[in-house]
Amino acid sequence: MTFIIVGYGRVGARTARILHEEGRAVTVVENDPDKADRAREAGFEVVEGDGSSESVLRRAGVENAAALGGLTGDPNTNFAACMVGKQFGCRVAMRISEDYREEIYERYEEDVDEVIYPERLGAAGAKTALLGGSFNALGELTEELRLTAVTIPEDAPVVGKKVNNIDLGNFGRIYAHGGPRDELTIPLPGTIVEAGDRLALVVDDDGLEQTRAALLGE
């Protein structure tokens, strides 16, 4: 299972590293020779060329890739790469700047699996977007505690509840909340959770399944 990262800048490099540290195969596509060299020095397979080109992405193995991230600083390149990825059945996530107008965001959102604002999510969020799913462990704090992010679906039992009324027992704590396109912030006690919202939590490693059940009803 290979993940293709288009763009080895700040976001692409960190996302590639996180995926690699989790034991996932990563191929980097980069048209800047210096960045391509840095990716090779970091141990990644590299294909040099324009990430928006189907022929370049074919050389990177897009036909058999699990997911593709368009993570350059150019949204046009990112979108074109994602469209090629979709053509071959990849899960695709593209990076855009958070200062884009609402209608542009919505146009991109209709065609890709995930739109990434790296200024908000960071590389761990990009990695989560590529892997998919609504309940994702982002990293370990200690041997027993884990940072976790969850996207709330429409049928979740917590929809309509205030944050301070969500009972995770002794195994988890909600520390941040945000709407689908909002920054994660510390929630007020009266903040109401709606479908599509994101919650960030600290969870006891033994309580991941209990937390999932409490939040998602699974």
Side-chain angles (χ1 to χ4, degrees):
M1 180 182 294
T2 299
F3 291 78
I4 296 175
I5 300 298
V6 178
Y8 198 73
R10 175 177 54 87
V11 176
R14 292 178 180 177
T15 305
R17 186 179 70 247
I18 290 171
L19 288 164
H20 177 70
E21 288 174 352
E22 294 184 352
R24 306 179 191 279
V26 176
T27 297
V28 172
V29 176
E30 177 56 66
N31 64 353
D32 183 309
D34 291 336
K35 291 180 180 179
D37 286 342
R38 287 201 294 272
R40 290 191 188 93
E41 291 169 1
F44 294 110
E45 180 178 344
V46 178
V47 173
E48 289 195 54
D50 181 356
S52 65
S53 166
E54 180 175 334
S55 63
V56 170
L57 293 175
R58 281 180 178 272
R59 286 197 283 125
V62 68
E63 298 99 326
N64 300 309
L68 179 150
L71 304 181
T72 76
D74 180 358
N76 293 319
T77 295
N78 297 341
F79 184 70
C82 286
M83 291 302 93
V84 175
K86 289 288 281 187
Q87 177 184 336
F88 290 100
C90 296
R91 177 176 176 80
V92 295
M94 69 167 287
R95 169 190 176 181
I96 68 171
S97 172
E98 65 179 336
D99 59 3
Y100 270 77
R101 298 192 306 275
E102 185 84 2
E103 60 268 25
I104 294 178
Y105 174 96
E106 290 176 350
R107 177 169 64 84
Y108 286 138
E109 188 182 39
E110 289 177 357
D111 293 320
V112 303
D113 295 304
E114 196 88 32
V115 175
I116 301 164
Y117 289 108
E119 294 87 350
R120 298 178 185 178
L121 292 178
K127 181 267 295 187
T128 296
L130 285 167
L131 292 177
S134 59
F135 192 93
N136 299 283
L138 298 180
E140 293 182 356
L141 287 175
T142 69
E143 291 184 359
E144 297 180 354
L145 293 178
R146 188 174 294 272
L147 285 174
T148 301
V150 57
T151 300
I152 303 300
E154 292 183 0
D155 58 351
V158 295
V159 171
K161 286 189 175 182
K162 295 180 179 179
V163 168
N164 64 337
N165 290 335
I166 297 175
D167 183 13
L168 299 181
N170 295 322
F171 45 81
R173 293 288 184 275
I174 297 171
Y175 71 87
H177 164 274
R181 302 172 194 171
D182 300 328
E183 295 183 23
L184 290 173
T185 59
I186 297 174
L188 297 172
T191 298
I192 295 176
V193 176
E194 299 179 356
D197 284 359
R198 294 172 295 132
L199 299 176
L201 313 99
V202 176
V203 182
D204 187 304
D205 214 26
D206 293 331
L208 283 172
E209 292 306 316
Q210 294 165 288
T211 303
R212 183 196 301 270
L215 294 174
L216 304 181
E218 298 176 356

